[in-house]
Amino acid sequence: MTEGRKCRAGTLLILFLVLLACAAGGHYAQEYKSWLFREQTEVSTDAAGSDTVLLGGMPVGIYMETDGVMVLNTERVKGIDGREYEPASDLVHSGDYITAVDHREISGKKELLEAVSAIGGDKVILTIRRGDEDVDIKITPVEYTPGEYRLGIWVRDNVQGLGTVTFLTEQSRFGALGHGIHDADTNGLMDISDGTVYRTSIQDVIRGTDGSPGSMEGIIVYNNYNVLGSIDKNTEAGIYGTIDRIDELFEEQIPIETAKKEEIEKGPATIRCFIDNELKEYDIQVTDIDTSGAEINKGLVIQVTDPELLEKTGGIIQGMSGSPIIQNGKLIGAVTHVFVQDSTMGYGIFVENMLNQVEISEMSNNVSN
C-alpha cells in the first residue's frame, strides 16, 4: 500500500484553550485558537453486512463537548514572591480528564473555573479520569497576585468545525468523517459527552497543492434553528449520531446499497462531495485495497482523476472527510485522508467498518435504555 506523509481530510477545526486559574473573588482565563492539522495512524475493526442507506455527501457543522475537561498541558506560574512554580507538574498529565473539584462533579471549563476560584489558596482535590481509572490529585494553587491564584493547567472542553456526512440508515443514524476527531495537542481520540450537528454554509474552497492540502471554509451559526441532529459517538472510524431534520439535510434522498470489502475492485469509482454550491459525483480511481484490517480507516487508496475537481480543489481537501465513495452502483466507503505530498491521492475507509460502529452504538443504546 502507498505510504508517505498524510493528514486527515477533515476540515480545520477551531479548538479553544483556557489557562486554568483560580482567585478569591475572581478568576483569570487566557484563550487562544489553534488549527487541527496533523498526521494520524489508526486501528482495525471487523466487517459488517450489506445494507441500504441514504447517500450523503453534504457538509455539516460539528460541535462536540468533551466528557470531562481535557488536560492539554501544565505550565509554570510566577508567584507573588517572584519565584516560578509548577503546581500541577507530574500530578496532572496531558490527556487526563478532570471530572470533579473537591468531589463536586464538573462538566466544562466554566464550572471548573468557578469551582477552583472559590477555593482560594487552599489545596484543591481534582478527580482525574486517566484511561479507565479515576484518581484524586491534590494540588496547591500558586498566588500570582494578591488574593488571586493559578493551578497552571491548560484545558479544553469542546471542539467544533466542518465535516461531511457519509450516509443515513433507516433508523435515522448517520455516519460522518470516516475518522475520529483527535486532540491537536495530545493526539488522543477525544472522549465526548455529546454533540450537535448544524447546517453550514460553505463560503470558499482553498485549492490544495502538493505539500499544502487545501480546505473548505464555512460559516456555522450555533442556534436551535440550524440544529440538524445530535452526535453521541466519536470513534476511530468516524462520528455517529441521529439526524432529526432529515428532509433538510437529505433534500435529495438517494437510497444506495452498501458493498462488502470483498466486492471492491481496483479501478474507476466516484466520490460525492459539495463543491461550488453543488452536490455531485467526481471521477476517481481506487488504486489499492487492503483487506487485512491493519488500519481501520485506510483500507482504500484513491486518486482523483476528474479534471473538474482537480481544477477546483487540486484533489482531496480538508473538509472532504466522509465524502462517499461509490463503485458499481454501491457505496463502498468514505474519504478519510489526503496525502500531503500529493493532494490528488488519499485514503478511504470501508463503509462496512462505519456500519459496524452504527450497529455497536445501537446495541449500546438498547442496553442503556
Side-chain angles (χ1 to χ4, degrees), residues 24 76 84 171 193 205 242 267 330:
R76 295 183 179 185
E84 289 192 342
Q171 291 80 29
S193 59
V205 170
T242 302
K330 291 186 177 183

Side-chain angles (χ1 to χ4, degrees), residues 238-249:
I239 63 172
Y240 300 86
T242 302
I243 298 297
D244 300 318
R245 297 160 75 174
I246 297 173
D247 291 341
E248 291 193 27
L249 181 59

